Amino acid sequence: MKVGVLALQGAVTEHIHSIELAGAEGVAVKHTEQLEELDGLIIPGGESTTIGKLMRKYEFIEAIRAFSEQGKPIFGTCAGLIVMAKEIESGEEAHLGLMDIKVSRNAFGRQRESFETNLDVKGLQEPLRAVFIRAPLITAVGNEVDILSTYNDEIVAARQGHLLVSSFHPELTDDYSLHTYFTEMIKTYQAAVQ
């Protein structure tokens, strides 16, 4: 199983490390052609506007939409969540527009309001250690979106079919259970297409 991490910005090596702990091969993705050999893709954190511009510059928007149309799993964390959303509250143009969610950028405030906490996540047996850094929030979800986790009654993780998102950074702790959850999504996809 080969899982790519979009390597335009963000914690790429940390995601690759977590993916490898979860039993898959992790690959830094810098060119659209690499998508063809992947079973799943992670869009990491960073700055969503910058990631969006770089995705347009290097022609990743249409390539990732085509990847998604095949039903291949995609996991967006922090800024990756914003990039995957159909609607961004600030009026910023949607980037990939894949997932039927509305998001608020920097909903938890600035860098100094960053924090760590334990979260209950649907589908995980143990609470997950989550790191929030200038994190976005999901403020509305469509009918097909399954809410996986909340913090103070706010949505911080969700899934829609083959799409998974989290407001927080699961790659910045030793807990790789959410990456394992993502690899299980990939196994389900692989079983369905064989």
Side-chain angles (χ1 to χ4, degrees):
M1 185 190 303
K2 196 178 274 193
V3 180
V5 181
L6 189 64
L8 301 177
Q9 197 191 38
V12 177
T13 52
E14 290 85 347
H15 270 298
I16 288 173
H17 180 65
S18 295
I19 276 296
E20 289 177 344
L21 288 171
E25 180 186 350
V27 182
V29 176
K30 295 180 179 175
H31 307 284
T32 54
E33 308 83 65
Q34 291 175 272
L35 295 173
E36 293 167 23
E37 59 197 45
L38 300 177
D39 302 300
L41 178 68
I42 295 175
I43 304 173
E47 207 288 310
S48 61
T49 310
T50 305
I51 293 171
K53 283 178 183 166
L54 290 170
M55 287 171 79
R56 287 175 177 85
K57 181 179 178 181
Y58 297 108
E59 300 179 347
F60 271 105
I61 298 284
E62 290 309 320
I64 293 173
R65 283 179 183 156
F67 185 90
S68 176
E69 279 167 20
Q70 296 173 59
K72 289 186 175 183
I74 303 175
F75 180 15
T77 64
C78 198
L81 173 156
I82 299 168
V83 167
M84 286 172 66
K86 279 203 173 143
E87 193 177 347
I88 303 168
E89 278 195 355
S90 61
E92 181 185 336
E93 182 191 353
H95 302 286
L96 290 168
L98 295 176
M99 197 162 170
D100 194 8
I101 55 174
K102 185 176 184 178
V103 298
S104 171
R105 297 176 60 198
N106 296 342
F108 285 106
R110 303 204 169 277
Q111 191 92 16
R112 59 189 162 75
E113 275 95 42
S114 301
F115 64 97
E116 279 188 45
T117 188
N118 288 331
L119 290 176
D120 289 321
V121 180
K122 188 175 171 184
L124 300 186
Q125 291 175 338
E126 300 287 329
L128 176 77
R129 191 73 184 157
V131 179
F132 288 83
I133 303 171
R134 291 201 319 269
L137 272 178
I138 301 169
T139 56
V141 298
N143 293 335
E144 293 178 9
V145 178
D146 191 12
I147 295 166
L148 299 183
S149 187
T150 58
Y151 176 77
N152 288 348
D153 297 323
E154 306 269 22
I155 305 165
V156 295
R159 177 176 175 179
Q160 181 180 347
H162 66 290
L163 306 172
L164 176 67
V165 290
S166 70
S167 298
F168 50 87
H169 291 268
E171 78 284 4
L172 297 181
T173 72
D174 296 332
D175 186 340
Y176 56 93
S177 55
L178 199 57
H179 289 80
T180 302
Y181 179 94
F182 183 59
T183 61
E184 291 300 322
M185 287 173 58
I186 296 169
K187 286 176 189 167
T188 302
Y189 161 77
Q190 288 174 328
V193 295
Q194 280 174 358

